[in-house]
Amino acid sequence: MKKIGLLPRLILGILGGMLIGFQFPEWMGNVLYTFTHIFGEFLGYIVPLIIISFIVPGIADLGKKAGRLLAGTAGLAYLSTVTAGIIAFFISIFIIPKIITDGSIVNAAASGLSPVIELEIPAIMGVMTALITAFIFGLGINHIRHEKSYTLLYQAMNEFREVIVLTIKKIIIPLLPIHIAGIFADMAASGEAFHILGVFGQVFLLIILMHVGYILIQYSIAALRTGIHPLKAIKNMLPAYFTALGTMSSAATIPVTYRSTLRNQVSDETADFVIPLSATIHLAGSTITLVACSVAVLIIGDQTPQFLNFLPFILLLAVTMVAAPGVPGGAVMAALGLLSSILGFTEAQTGLMIALYMAQDGFGTACNITGDGAIALIVDSFVTKKPNAKT
């Protein structure tokens, strides 16, 4: 029997949770919500570990590369990701309040159910402590690896990442639908579920349009350097786009992204370097999704998103998501700590963000890897020093 995918299971979790919240006895909803409460505590506990396990190996692995090619690719990828987030914020803050009318604003943190048992699982360290620790060890290991061909600490951090990735794949991802069911049972019991689903259906359409628009911007910029027609270049990248839509993984799509990039006349040497690296560090599509959904969740909760709060969120998000593309839903997992520490998300709002992000993860991934092709075009134009030479 074919295994049911994550998206169908999430949808079943949402529908099942709403059914329990609306139709079943309250005690049954409270039992389900108890699991959601405990699972939420576990997520809070593991977030600092996710940050360290993603960032440290990601930065340390950059030690394998060197020179201008690394600096140029990493700089362009970071600039693209941050720019995407800033554009997404201003578009979202302009359009989403028009989608969420005064009559549909609800308190996303309100609770219609209560856990039977309350259990606290304190995190080992705070989110900012985890970030600073990750930077110190990542940069330190990166430096040491220039001096030594092998380090025990580097190997240990990679094995630590494998443990965390295994936890995400074998525990968090399989249990997410039940966690989401509890959240929607709670919202259904408090009369909020239909409002939120209706709003996010429109928000998702906005997100996809922003993805398409940003891809056009990226390839228009690449065209200024290379002379290639942006629509032709995007057409050549479509196999990678649709592959990522299905795999929901930038890392798993690398072979197709590589072949598609070569069709745009990018040199083999540039594609060999830029495509695998960009798949790890360039997450413009995921950032657009996370920023837009965050704005919507805050507005639904009758809160006013502030750019001065979102700017550090976006700047740090572009770093914390390093090495996340190899993990299902890795971007939102890496963002959990920032959502709570910078944007002040509650446990219910964080759970809602996970559900909403995972439901459209493929589109964000597809935007990410399609943009990788544009990064490769721009980098190649500097490497070959032949701007406006391609047709």
Side-chain angles (χ1 to χ4, degrees):
M1 182 178 177
K2 187 177 180 181
K3 184 179 178 181
I4 301 176
L6 178 59
L7 180 56
R9 284 185 284 130
L10 284 174
I11 294 173
L12 288 174
I14 291 172
L15 296 177
M18 291 174 63
L19 181 63
I20 291 174
F22 278 127
Q23 300 293 334
F24 284 69
E26 185 176 349
W27 68 265
M28 190 174 293
N30 288 336
V31 170
L32 177 59
Y33 192 67
T34 300
F35 173 85
T36 294
H37 163 72
I38 295 175
F39 191 82
E41 288 287 322
F42 175 71
L43 284 179
Y45 162 79
I46 203 171
V47 160
L49 304 181
I50 291 175
I51 290 173
I52 292 174
S53 68
F54 280 9
I55 294 179
V56 174
I59 294 177
D61 280 337
L62 297 180
K64 298 177 182 178
K65 324 288 195 309
R68 294 182 179 179
L69 196 58
L70 169 62
T73 303
L76 280 173
Y78 184 79
L79 178 63
S80 174
T81 301
V82 170
T83 301
I86 292 173
I87 292 174
F89 173 81
F90 284 109
I91 292 177
S92 299
I93 204 67
F94 177 74
I95 295 179
I96 291 178
K98 301 180 188 303
I99 296 174
I100 305 175
T101 61
D102 291 340
S104 66
I105 291 179
V106 294
N107 184 1
S111 178
L113 300 173
S114 57
V116 178
I117 300 173
E118 293 192 20
L119 179 66
E120 291 187 8
I121 309 176
I124 294 176
M125 64 182 74
V127 171
M128 293 308 298
T129 302
L131 279 171
I132 298 301
T133 302
F135 281 124
I136 291 173
F137 277 87
L139 293 171
I141 294 172
N142 187 312
H143 176 75
I144 292 173
R145 293 190 70 209
H146 284 293
E147 308 295 330
K148 302 177 182 179
S149 60
Y150 178 85
T151 65
L152 289 175
L153 187 56
Y154 172 74
Q155 182 66 25
M157 291 309 303
N158 275 285
E159 291 183 1
F160 175 53
R161 183 179 186 276
E162 289 180 13
V163 171
I164 299 301
V165 169
L166 188 66
T167 303
I168 293 173
K169 289 183 176 180
K170 299 297 184 181
I171 298 177
I172 295 179
I173 297 299
L175 294 178
L176 264 181
I178 303 175
H179 177 57
I180 300 307
I183 291 172
F184 275 87
D186 177 47
M187 290 191 295
S190 57
E192 302 171 1
F194 286 115
H195 287 307
I196 292 176
L197 286 179
V199 165
F200 273 95
Q202 300 174 73
V203 172
F204 279 165
L205 177 59
L206 173 63
I207 289 171
I208 293 172
L209 291 175
M210 285 195 286
H211 285 165
V212 173
Y214 195 67
I215 289 172
L216 287 170
I217 291 174
Q218 289 174 306
Y219 280 91
S220 296
I221 294 173
L224 295 176
R225 283 290 308 174
T226 65
I228 193 171
H229 194 288
L231 294 181
K232 177 184 176 182
I234 293 173
K235 180 182 177 182
N236 289 337
M237 293 298 297
L238 287 180
Y241 181 93
F242 287 109
T243 300
L245 203 59
T247 63
M248 294 189 291
S249 169
S250 295
T253 312
I254 285 176
V256 183
T257 310
Y258 177 79
R259 289 196 299 269
S260 299
T261 301
L262 292 180
R263 293 183 64 187
N264 282 331
Q265 301 180 39
V266 173
S267 67
D268 290 350
E269 293 79 8
T270 300
D272 286 345
F273 179 87
V274 174
I275 294 304
L277 179 60
S278 295
T280 301
I281 64 177
H282 182 226
L283 294 116
S286 298
T287 301
I288 288 171
T289 304
L290 287 166
V291 169
C293 287
S294 299
V295 169
V297 167
L298 289 174
I299 294 176
I300 284 175
D302 200 16
Q303 298 169 270
T304 303
Q306 301 291 337
F307 179 66
L308 291 181
N309 290 335
F310 267 82
L311 182 58
F313 171 72
I314 293 168
L315 293 174
L316 289 173
L317 187 63
V319 177
T320 58
M321 292 190 298
V322 169
V327 184
V332 71
M333 293 300 167
L336 292 181
L338 301 180
L339 289 170
S340 59
S341 64
I342 297 179
L343 299 184
F345 272 39
T346 64
E347 182 180 303
Q349 288 173 316
T350 300
L352 183 59
M353 275 292 299
I354 295 174
L356 297 168
Y357 181 89
M358 297 292 282
Q360 66 76 66
D361 191 17
F363 290 98
T365 303
C367 181
N368 292 341
I369 60 90
T370 305
D372 294 347
I375 297 288
L377 276 166
I378 296 171
V379 171
D380 194 50
S381 73
F382 285 99
V383 171
T384 59
K385 300 187 183 301
K386 294 179 180 179
N388 301 314
K390 297 180 181 176
T391 59

